[in-house]
Amino acid sequence: QSVLTQPPSVSAAPGQKVTISCSGSSSSIGINFVSWYQQLPGTAPRLLIYDNNKRPSGIPDRFSGSKSGTSATLGITGLQTGDEADYYCGTWDSGLSAGVFGGGTKLTVL
Amino acid sequence: EVQLLESGGGLVQPGGSRRLSCAASGFTFISYAMTWVRQAPGKGLEWVSAISGGGGISTYYAESVRGRFTISRDNSDNILYLQMNSLRAEDTAIYYCAKKGSNWAYDFWGQGILVTVSS
């Protein structure tokens, strides 16, 4: 049981937009920054979004992040088949004094 | 170029011990907090432990490993460690070391190392 809740799967057609939600609590997302990671099959995770909505260099602006209250959202526009991957949200939980991740969302580009 | 290279994985018997290492290069290692994250076969990411940077020695653990795992670092040789004791079958996973970036985001990851706990 993950501290952060994500939908197990989402799907959309190439070129379309998709959003992935991440729900936490007042001690996690409510007071800490959220990051998002992409994990392609058989590879290590890669940072996509940090500080709720910032993109590291090299991450295209098709990827965006937002946060409101105790929830966060990852948006991906102009979907490509290469975007098929597992996506994870993460943050710090100040109540647990530990890092936490969502259970992951598998994106299928139909 | 930031590089993180894990080593020390393999097959361990239940109740046994193992020490993982993560050799870091391409950044000022002492200045950054470091983290271990694991992923059981077919499962999601699980945060395991973290250690502060900047010369501090604060450590943090997931409830599932507290009292059994110990994180440490050698700032002279730029190596992060994870000492794992009393290993259980449920500790079987790929273990990743990761560098902490801004506000507990992990901006660089190693390729991961597999630890299998089985008799």
Side-chain angles (χ1 to χ4, degrees):
Chain A
Q1 192 86 6
S2 301
V3 173
L4 305 180
T5 301
Q6 298 179 233
S9 63
V10 294
S11 62
Q16 297 300 303
K17 174 183 177 178
V18 72
T19 61
I20 298 173
S21 62
C22 175
S23 177
S25 67
S26 58
S27 63
S28 59
I29 293 178
I31 55 173
N32 292 299
F33 288 97
V34 177
S35 52
W36 289 90
Y37 304 86
Q38 177 193 61
Q39 187 176 32
L40 298 169
T43 69
R46 174 177 74 149
L47 179 64
L48 280 182
I49 298 289
Y50 68 98
D51 290 359
N52 302 332
N53 55 18
K54 298 177 182 175
R55 284 176 287 105
S57 61
I59 301 300
D61 59 7
R62 300 188 299 107
F63 295 90
S64 64
S66 64
K67 182 184 117 170
S68 178
T70 59
S71 294
T73 301
L74 173 70
I76 311 173
T77 60
L79 278 171
Q80 303 172 2
T81 55
D83 295 332
E84 286 201 333
D86 293 322
Y87 292 84
Y88 296 90
C89 58
T91 188
W92 184 256
D93 190 305
S94 298
L96 298 174
S97 291
V100 289
F101 288 103
T105 299
K106 182 176 182 60
L107 169 63
T108 301
V109 181
L110 302 169
Chain B
E1 178 192 8
V2 172
Q3 290 194 340
L4 299 170
L5 184 62
E6 301 95 338
S7 60
L11 178 63
V12 188
Q13 290 197 335
S17 297
R18 200 80 172 185
R19 188 178 79 162
L20 301 183
S21 301
C22 172
S25 62
F27 65 103
T28 306
F29 181 71
I30 191 173
S31 297
Y32 292 91
M34 298 292 294
T35 294
W36 288 98
V37 175
R38 69 184 180 183
Q39 187 169 35
K43 302 298 185 182
L45 302 178
E46 180 186 13
W47 185 91
V48 174
S49 182
I51 186 167
S52 60
I57 54 170
S58 296
T59 57
Y60 309 87
Y61 298 94
E63 188 61 38
S64 58
V65 306
R66 188 173 293 125
R68 300 187 300 124
F69 290 12
T70 302
I71 191 172
S72 62
R73 62 191 299 162
D74 182 335
N75 292 325
S76 298
D77 288 337
N78 294 350
I79 302 176
L80 176 71
Y81 297 105
L82 185 68
Q83 177 66 43
M84 305 184 295
N85 298 331
S86 303
L87 283 162
R88 307 165 180 168
E90 53 265 37
D91 296 317
T92 294
I94 295 173
Y95 285 74
Y96 297 99
C97 70
K99 169 184 169 290
K100 174 186 171 294
S102 174
N103 293 309
W104 290 107
Y106 311 116
D107 54 3
F108 291 95
W109 296 64
Q111 86 289 348
I113 191 80
L114 177 63
V115 175
T116 302
V117 183
S118 175
S119 55

